[in-house]
């Protein structure tokens, strides 16, 4: 079974803090994704990566950056957290042109 | 802007009935489509994928695709209260895109 894990289920941070969200997959998938999900807005793609050190902006990359130094690990970075980044963050992975599998999610609250 | 549209619901059906969930997409280049189930507070879970026109069955679930009409549907037979969840439809961007476009989901409520 595909397994995607995320570093925290719940996280509370202060405005202006630098926040790291980590995602690890164990299926040797080339593609990894970061989404945020908000009520009424659905799933929105922040960034994705199709290979180590490669990244592409999604629909809402502003305020975020990513890092993929190893194939199995994809990190989302909030350089200076703001209250409007309070959300559920979901990581997913997939093989090329294959199905995406999601991790359990991190519910981030920025105070 | 390429989009995937779903009726937000809630769609309410009695236990044992057939639930029909519908989805339309705007990107004519999309060739791959996916249905995810998401329970409240949980992450999306893949139910089915469909790539060809017609029907694809898996247990109580049937996905239907009509590329000419740009329409995807999911039928759930013998609906159970445990099927109560939000169902997300997704389409691959373009013919060979890496990313998916997700609809906002339809909430299904199955009453016992």
């Amino acid at each position: 079974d595909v397994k995607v894990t995320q570093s925290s289920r719940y996280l509370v941070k202060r405005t202006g803090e630098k926040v790291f969200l980590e995602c690890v997959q164990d299926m040797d998938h080339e593609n990894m994704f970061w989404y945020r999900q908000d009520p009424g807005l659905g799933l929105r793609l922040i960034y994705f990566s199709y290979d180590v050190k490669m990244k592409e902006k999604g629909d809402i990359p502003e305020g975020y950056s990513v890092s993929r130094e190893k194939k199995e690990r994809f990190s989302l970075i909030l350089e200076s957290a703001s209250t409007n980044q309070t959300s559920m963050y979901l990581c997913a992975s997939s093989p090329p042109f294959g199905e995406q599998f999601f991790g359990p999610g991190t519910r981030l609250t920025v105070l | 802007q390429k989009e995937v549209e779903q009726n937000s619901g809630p769609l309410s059906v009695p236990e044992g009935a057939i639930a029909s969930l519908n989805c339309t997409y705007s990107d004519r280049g999309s060739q791959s489509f996916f249905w995810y189930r998401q329970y409240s507070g949980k992450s999306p879970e893949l139910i089915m994928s469909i790539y060809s026109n017609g029907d694809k069955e898996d247990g109580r679930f049937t996905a239907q695709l009509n590329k000419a009409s740009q329409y995807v549907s999911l039928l759930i037979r013998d609906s159970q209260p445990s099927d109560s969840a939000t169902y997300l439809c997704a389409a691959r961007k373009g013919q060979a895109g890496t990313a998916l476009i997700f609809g906002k989901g339809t909430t299904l409520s199955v009453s016992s």
Side-chain angles (χ1 to χ4, degrees):
Chain A
D1 276 355
V2 175
K3 191 164 184 185
V4 181
T5 58
Q6 295 184 230
S7 49
S8 307
R9 290 301 310 275
Y10 300 93
L11 207 53
V12 180
K13 295 292 181 181
R14 296 283 181 189
T15 302
E17 278 193 79
K18 191 168 187 176
V19 181
F20 293 87
L21 302 181
E22 299 227 308
C23 175
V24 177
Q25 51 96 2
D26 67 357
M27 285 303 293
D28 202 35
H29 284 169
E30 283 76 7
N31 301 326
M32 296 188 75
F33 307 83
W34 275 107
Y35 295 88
R36 63 177 284 177
Q37 188 174 34
D38 302 285
L41 297 178
L43 273 170
R44 293 182 290 168
L45 181 64
I46 303 171
Y47 269 97
F48 66 96
S49 168
Y50 52 90
D51 200 353
V52 176
K53 296 191 186 295
M54 306 305 290
K55 61 186 179 185
E56 291 274 351
K57 292 180 180 179
D59 299 318
I60 51 163
E62 298 78 17
Y64 303 95
S65 61
V66 290
S67 172
R68 194 166 179 202
E69 296 297 319
K70 293 185 177 181
K71 190 175 185 179
E72 67 271 18
R73 190 179 297 268
F74 192 35
S75 301
L76 179 70
I77 303 148
L78 287 65
E79 296 289 343
S80 177
S82 63
T83 54
N84 63 13
Q85 293 178 309
T86 291
S87 186
M88 169 72 94
Y89 289 87
L90 291 158
C91 176
S93 72
S94 79
F97 311 117
E99 300 154 338
Q100 287 188 22
F101 297 92
F102 285 85
T106 296
R107 188 166 293 280
L108 172 68
T109 302
V110 183
L111 301 176
Chain B
Q1 180 80 352
K2 306 298 184 183
E3 292 184 336
V4 171
E5 301 280 350
Q6 296 181 255
N7 188 324
S8 61
L11 174 66
S12 298
V13 301
E15 184 174 359
I18 295 175
S20 177
L21 304 159
N22 305 312
C23 166
T24 58
Y25 60 95
S26 63
D27 186 351
R28 282 204 169 271
S30 292
Q31 299 293 317
S32 307
F33 304 89
F34 307 89
W35 282 100
Y36 289 82
R37 177 177 61 201
Q38 186 174 23
Y39 292 113
S40 180
K42 301 294 186 181
S43 62
E45 171 193 12
L46 181 69
I47 300 175
M48 291 189 72
S49 55
I50 186 166
Y51 307 99
S52 304
N53 277 330
D55 295 0
K56 179 182 178 182
E57 188 173 317
D58 184 0
R60 296 186 296 113
F61 298 96
T62 299
Q64 299 175 317
L65 174 60
N66 183 326
K67 291 183 181 178
S69 301
Q70 297 178 241
Y71 180 90
V72 191
S73 65
L74 180 71
L75 301 178
I76 307 174
R77 290 182 300 282
D78 188 23
S79 294
Q80 301 296 310
S82 58
D83 294 326
S84 298
T86 296
Y87 290 80
L88 305 175
C89 174
R92 187 172 301 288
K93 274 191 181 180
Q95 194 165 9
T98 301
L100 301 182
I101 310 167
F102 282 86
K104 293 181 180 178
T106 298
T107 300
L108 173 66
S109 177
V110 181
S111 56
S112 56

